Amino acid sequence: MSSAAVEDIAPRTKSCSVYRTVEVVGERWTNLILREAFLGVRRFDQMSKHLGIARNILSDRLGKLVDNEILERRQYSERPPRFEYRLTEKGLDLYPIVVSLMAWGDKHLDAGAGAPVELVHADCGHVMQPKMVCSHCGDDVHARNVRPQAGPGLRETA
Amino acid sequence: MSSAAVEDIAPRTKSCSVYRTVEVVGERWTNLILREAFLGVRRFDQMSKHLGIARNILSDRLGKLVDNEILERRQYSERPPRFEYRLTEKGLDLYPIVVSLMAWGDKHLDAGAGAPVELVHADCGHVMQPKMVCSHCGDDVHARNVRPQAGPGLRETA
């Protein structure tokens, strides 16, 4: 990357989408709650049990995810009143983040035992690793073949 | 996903790679330090200035990233002694996580202004969005066409 781009972009942390996203989901418990949600776990008591998380913290984090329209709270029982939490479309869009966290752990933190959880791609039926590619040409995207530049959202707030 | 898979996998949070990764990088400042590193920022003072982070917190987070072999600390000046922080290969592998955080923010938190930072794919020269595909068939991967199952790492610790 050119140093001009660094000087243009790097100091503007708060105008960056990484910063904005991290403000919403960049917290340890929140990431683990999202893991549960993507595994299909919807109920407070189940999440609480799986995660070993204090109920007030779980309640707080779920409330924030609802406020940010990542989870939707739906009543599933009237007596007693009980609610479940389901990913919204906005929440479902977090999937690449959760899968990327998992793939990195599989590669670097498996202690030689292999992946604890495998992902089967329903469309082709094979166990797969997620691969990041360019939306334009379809070739691999990695840290060394991408160059950031100021976009419209940064120019607007210049 | 079948409920059998949920019951098999979901309660085993601590054996999951998402959990393990989040233990290492699932912290707000850590994500922002990684953003800096991927933008090419290597020096303590620059990071401190861009992020508006207390020096003791920055020092602590950088130390943990070095301990986890995500950043490498190299001396670049003897008098005064000064160090810079560079991503290791293991650290460079975090790129899909950081790019996924950014892409989600671009889509959902741009307040209509467009992406603050655009990514140019050096191989094809176009501004691109990262796309997640299956390593086996190359087709799109998203929350609704992937099914998790217990992998070797989970069976081992059963």
Side-chain angles (χ1 to χ4, degrees):
Chain A
M1 176 169 38
S2 71
S3 60
V6 177
E7 279 159 38
D8 199 23
I9 298 167
R12 314 275 298 281
T13 307
K14 293 188 183 175
S15 304
C16 173
S17 289
V18 177
Y19 178 87
R20 293 173 184 165
T21 302
V22 163
E23 288 288 297
V24 178
V25 299
E27 192 272 332
R28 188 172 161 273
W29 287 119
T30 301
N31 280 298
L32 297 176
I33 291 166
L34 290 171
R35 170 197 182 266
E36 291 290 304
F38 279 112
L39 283 174
V41 178
R42 294 174 180 163
R43 301 192 175 174
F44 189 97
D45 286 337
Q46 269 182 299
M47 289 188 190
S48 164
K49 193 171 136 198
H50 298 165
L51 298 175
I53 179 177
R55 297 179 70 88
N56 63 326
I57 296 177
L58 179 55
S59 180
D60 174 79
R61 299 303 188 276
L62 285 171
K64 284 184 181 147
L65 288 167
V66 171
D67 289 347
N68 284 305
E69 297 170 325
I70 288 167
L71 294 178
E72 190 181 9
R73 188 170 179 258
R74 289 191 200 170
Q75 186 157 7
Y76 69 87
S77 153
E78 290 207 6
R79 291 184 195 182
R82 292 207 190 282
F83 300 87
E84 62 177 21
Y85 297 85
R86 303 173 79 115
L87 287 156
T88 62
E89 288 300 318
K90 185 176 169 184
L92 288 167
D93 279 346
L94 291 165
Y95 193 64
I97 299 174
V98 176
V99 167
S100 299
L101 290 166
M102 182 173 144
W104 190 82
D106 286 345
K107 181 168 178 187
H108 291 288
L109 307 173
D110 77 338
V117 177
E118 293 174 336
L119 300 178
V120 177
H121 189 220
D123 295 6
C124 75
H126 287 86
V127 171
M128 59 111 201
Q129 277 75 47
K131 203 173 79 158
M132 193 161 272
V133 300
C134 168
S135 59
H136 185 83
C137 73
D139 279 355
D140 286 8
V141 162
H142 50 79
R144 290 196 169 110
N145 70 0
V146 171
R147 179 171 53 78
Q149 66 182 20
L154 198 67
R155 290 192 285 271
E156 189 137 314
T157 58
Chain B
M1 174 168 38
S2 71
S3 61
V6 177
E7 278 159 39
D8 199 23
I9 297 166
R12 313 276 298 281
T13 307
K14 292 187 184 176
S15 303
C16 173
S17 289
V18 176
Y19 177 87
R20 293 172 184 166
T21 302
V22 163
E23 288 289 296
V24 177
V25 299
E27 193 270 333
R28 188 171 161 274
W29 287 118
T30 302
N31 279 298
L32 298 176
I33 291 166
L34 290 171
R35 170 198 183 265
E36 291 290 302
F38 279 112
L39 284 173
V41 179
R42 295 174 180 162
R43 302 194 174 172
F44 189 98
D45 287 336
Q46 269 182 297
M47 289 188 189
S48 164
K49 193 172 137 196
H50 298 165
L51 299 176
I53 179 177
R55 296 179 72 87
N56 62 326
I57 296 178
L58 178 56
S59 180
D60 174 79
R61 300 302 188 275
L62 285 170
K64 284 184 181 147
L65 288 167
V66 171
D67 289 347
N68 284 305
E69 296 170 326
I70 289 166
L71 294 178
E72 190 181 9
R73 186 170 180 259
R74 290 190 200 170
Q75 187 157 8
Y76 69 87
S77 153
E78 292 207 4
R79 291 186 199 183
R82 293 208 190 280
F83 301 87
E84 61 178 22
Y85 297 86
R86 302 173 79 117
L87 288 157
T88 62
E89 288 300 318
K90 185 176 169 183
L92 288 167
D93 280 347
L94 291 165
Y95 193 65
I97 300 174
V98 176
V99 167
S100 300
L101 290 168
M102 182 173 145
W104 190 82
D106 286 345
K107 180 167 177 188
H108 292 286
L109 307 173
D110 77 338
V117 177
E118 293 173 336
L119 300 178
V120 178
H121 189 221
D123 295 6
C124 75
H126 288 84
V127 171
M128 58 113 200
Q129 277 76 47
K131 202 173 81 157
M132 191 160 274
V133 300
C134 168
S135 60
H136 186 85
C137 74
D139 280 354
D140 286 9
V141 162
H142 50 78
R144 291 197 170 110
N145 70 0
V146 171
R147 177 172 53 79
Q149 66 183 21
L154 197 67
R155 291 191 285 271
E156 188 135 317
T157 59

